[in-house]
Amino acid sequence: MPENMNMPENMNMPENMNLKIGEAAGVLYHRLEEGECSLNQVKTHLSANGFDSQMALMSIGWLARENKISLDKKSNRWYVRLK
């Protein structure tokens, strides 16, 4: 979304949700420092750290938005790695 566009008031996420997504993104980032992961590995790792699969996907989006990760599809599987 362009920076000059504001989301409608009712579309804003609660601040604690932003914090949870950021926390999950940090956990994922540290895991990716060890190497590339499949999407299933990401979900499993974050699940082991108390985050559900939706939070895993949001954390990928967070890191992608910050241009920290690359996503690749190989043989019908998605892989995530640090740039």
Side-chain angles (χ1 to χ4, degrees), residues 51-62:
F51 300 101
D52 65 20
S53 63
Q54 291 178 339
M55 191 61 66
L57 296 176
M58 288 185 273
S59 70
I60 290 171
W62 181 290

Side-chain angles (χ1 to χ4, degrees), residues 19-32 34 37-63 69 80:
L19 292 174
K20 276 191 83 77
I21 297 168
E23 183 182 339
V27 169
L28 175 55
Y29 186 90
H30 290 298
R31 169 54 187 90
L32 293 173
E34 299 172 17
C37 290
S38 71
L39 182 56
N40 285 336
Q41 289 171 318
V42 167
K43 289 178 181 180
T44 299
H45 180 72
L46 288 176
S47 176
N49 284 277
F51 300 101
D52 65 20
S53 63
Q54 291 178 339
M55 191 61 66
L57 296 176
M58 288 185 273
S59 70
I60 290 171
W62 181 290
L63 293 174
I69 58 171
V80 184

Side-chain angles (χ1 to χ4, degrees), residues 3-14:
E3 290 183 43
N4 60 351
M5 291 183 71
N6 291 325
M7 291 175 39
E9 186 78 26
N10 62 348
M11 294 291 289
N12 291 332
M13 281 192 288

